[in-house]
Amino acid sequence: MAEAVLSFQGVQHRHKIPAPRWSKPWAHRLGPGIVDLNLKLYPGSILGLVGPNGAGKTTLLRMMAGILPLQTGTVMERIESEHWTEVEDLRTWVGHMPEQVRWQGRTTVRSILLELGEMRGAPARRIDSLLSLVGLQQRQDEQLDNLSQGMRQRLSIAAALLGSPKVLLLDEPFNGLDPVAAQAFTELIQRLANKGVSIVISSHMVAQLGGLIDRIGLIHRGQLLDEGPLQAVETRLALSGRYTVSGPGEVDLDACLKGIDYERIELMTNEEGWHLTFTGESKDVLQRLLSKDVVLSSWSPVAPNLVEWLCAATGMDVQDISLEVASSALLPMRTLEVGEDE
């Protein structure tokens, strides 16, 4: 694998929240945000940053884009040389696509990109190239008010690519897209990764990222719990090696699988048949069932969902991993000194 090109070391940004006192009615203290985070980005790699709503994904992306300042920590790059150099302005290397951009008005697609390109120093030929890349060449004279959600997402990613960034940050890019538009957007992201762009996608839906990302980062309460290649993180968190198998009718699975080294996770039965989820050697289980003339309808590995990822990473019960946004859930998991200012 290629070496990292961008490194975030001990970075932090915690939002200020009101903490009034009778002597200081306008005082603030540090509240939720990103705490002591370390992360490296690799060229041509697609990192899926996943976590529940309110975990800090958007805050992290804004830090990585240079929108929110670092309160502590450093950012290093070796994009132009083999040696690490401290980054003074992340906007030099990073393109950012926010979750929602309200493209509206009678301005055309090409006109708005030309205006943005003038601010970024991008020539007109760069605009034409981007329109072709994101599939808006035939819609370049369309007014912003007439764009569909999918076209607006394409325009947002074109705007993020104006400065030819080495790193592209996408905040919930699949929101509001129908399946066809989502597939087209996925193919566009893959083409950009093949060109060597390092891509970070934030999402609270792991299933949407299946088959697209090659690395995953689990974020919860402002902290990065684990990060790395998908299979490596699954193995570290003991989430790999799970399978499901199903079939029609009634089957005595205990008798059929006696002596097989496997662990039953769940067995469901209904009028249509049975459905077994287990860990162990799937080949041994399948061979035994077939040798007993058991009819099988399906077999597949089980991919963990977001709650399972977070439960495994935090050691918390499923009841404690809530997807509801609450202020207490946004506070850092570790106890830190709280600053205060006026």
Side-chain angles (χ1 to χ4, degrees), residues 24-176:
K24 296 181 178 180
W26 306 111
H28 290 76
R29 67 179 178 87
L30 296 180
I34 298 300
V35 181
D36 192 25
L37 183 139
N38 298 297
L39 179 65
K40 289 184 177 181
L41 301 182
Y42 299 84
S45 175
I46 304 177
L47 168 66
L49 190 66
V50 302
N53 291 326
K57 302 186 298 295
T58 296
T59 297
L60 176 57
L61 289 190
R62 289 175 178 174
M63 287 174 60
M64 297 170 70
I67 298 173
L68 293 177
L70 301 184
Q71 294 169 343
T72 62
T74 58
V75 183
M76 308 293 289
E77 62 86 11
R78 55 179 175 189
I79 295 174
E80 293 187 337
S81 70
E82 297 181 356
H83 305 289
W84 286 108
T85 304
E86 188 168 351
V87 177
E88 295 183 0
D89 188 354
L90 278 165
R91 292 171 294 181
T92 304
W93 314 110
V94 178
H96 179 225
M97 175 183 166
E99 181 178 359
Q100 291 183 343
V101 180
R102 299 188 182 279
W103 299 108
Q104 57 187 7
R106 296 184 178 181
T107 304
T108 66
V109 169
R110 191 171 192 276
S111 295
I112 193 66
L113 285 179
L114 285 172
E115 291 177 16
L116 295 173
E118 185 175 355
M119 291 186 285
R120 295 299 300 265
R125 63 178 181 275
R126 173 63 177 166
I127 305 300
D128 295 331
S129 175
L130 285 175
L131 287 169
S132 177
L133 176 66
V134 303
L136 287 177
Q137 196 168 31
Q138 302 301 318
R139 300 281 187 168
Q140 61 179 321
D141 296 321
E142 195 81 45
Q143 292 182 3
L144 300 182
D145 284 339
N146 298 332
L147 298 180
S148 67
Q149 179 63 21
M151 294 178 191
R152 294 173 192 271
Q153 295 289 70
R154 290 168 183 257
L155 178 55
S156 293
I157 199 170
L161 291 170
L162 277 171
S164 301
K166 301 298 183 182
V167 176
L168 182 62
L169 310 176
L170 308 176
D171 194 356
E172 301 285 359
F174 296 102
N175 280 0

Side-chain angles (χ1 to χ4, degrees), residues 2-16:
E3 294 184 342
V5 293
L6 200 61
S7 175
F8 298 83
Q9 303 171 4
V11 296
Q12 174 174 305
H13 181 95
R14 294 176 63 187
H15 301 286
K16 293 181 180 180

